[in-house]
Amino acid sequence: MDYNTGHATSQAIDASVSVKEAVAYTDLVAAMGTGLNRQEVDFFKRNGYLVKRGVIRDDQLFANVVDHLWANVPRDILVRDDPDSWLNSPHKQWTEFDHAKVGLLHHGNWKMRSAARIGKELFLVEGIARHPSMLRVVEQFIGRPLKSLNRVRGVYAILPKPQHVTGVLGPHSDYAAGQLGAMVVAGEMPAGSGGFTVWPGSHIRLHESWDTCFGSSITDSRVRAYRKRRDEILSDTVPVETHGHPGDVIFWHHRLLHSAGINRTADAGCPIVRIIVPCDYQRGDKSFFDDNEYGPSEKYQWWIDTRNYREDVAPTATNLWAEWSI
Ligand SMILES: [Fe+2]
């Protein structure tokens, strides 16, 4: 099983809520390179995400990531230069064995990952998650020392939706211990190609719904409040779909409501597969433990590299940015 459907965040969205259509991200701040200026920090604190352009400049590295994705397709179910193979319900050919070996293809959403192999490759962990430019940005957000990095989540692909299919967003919170996420763009990701989609400000409004500031649990008594706040956000907030080039990175607060975007590139007649590498970061000077009920642990949510820790405290109106360096 991939997700524990009993978690509070799996509560269905109320039928009266109509999720708004996403708008394309517009670069509001000059966010190039690895520095963090005041404008960027203010944007991140207010919105819960920050798009940094050109953090990793290495065309060969990202060509290798894309090659790696295609090399792991089972039985040529998806063919790199045959978009028809992406559009013709490839998930129907994906077996349980494929799922275990290279991750689930759920409709057009392939989370390419595995417990022992995919996500732990040196060129992903050293080359991307531990790239000096990544660490420089991350340390400005959350300080040092960082928890040791053992894996990335995997290589995540969004296939274009067929023209006759109405795409829907899947807004959710990751019910994982964490602090700072980073979606590293690995292939060309133009607007409308299914970029990581976020509900700005939701990290602030959901902060007090959780049992602790950084942990993965919401006790039963808090579930209704979480669901109410989440549905309020979905009712009043326009989501933003990010886009970019290989080496751009979307940094995001781990309590942000988010979704894979809808890949409409086939509708426009130029289908592409959206490819990103998600990474997880947190401060390292803590007493970490595995949560074997909900994860992350080796048993549940093994693709998440961050963990719960014993010093974590209950959220309050004033401690959203405690343990951050911004
Ligand atoms: Fe997620």
Side-chain angles (χ1 to χ4, degrees), residues 3 111 153 156 170 172-175 183 196 252 256 258-260 304:
Y3 288 102
K111 292 186 162 107
R153 293 195 192 186
Y156 286 11
H172 65 280
S173 302
D174 284 357
Y175 60 90
M183 297 302 194
F196 186 59
W252 58 287
L256 199 64
H258 62 274
S259 170
I304 308 262

Side-chain angles (χ1 to χ4, degrees), residues 56-68 123 128 186 246:
I56 301 176
R57 296 177 182 277
D58 187 338
D59 292 345
Q60 188 58 54
L61 171 64
F62 294 112
N64 293 345
V65 174
V66 174
D67 288 348
H68 192 47
F123 83 106
I128 293 183

Side-chain angles (χ1 to χ4, degrees), residues 254-275:
H254 74 128
R255 295 302 195 212
L256 199 64
L257 275 181
H258 62 274
S259 170
I262 300 168
N263 187 338
R264 304 177 194 276
T265 55
D267 303 20
C270 44
I272 60 161
V273 176
R274 188 227 69 177
I275 302 171

Side-chain angles (χ1 to χ4, degrees), residues 33 47-48 70 85 95 110 120 123-124 127 141 144 151 167 171 218 224 231 274 284 310 318:
N47 293 291
W70 291 109
S85 72
T95 64
W110 180 17
K120 292 185 170 179
F123 83 106
L124 296 177
F141 274 115
R144 288 184 193 170
R151 64 170 300 143
I218 300 179
R224 285 181 66 173
D231 288 359
R274 188 227 69 177
R310 302 199 189 285
T318 57

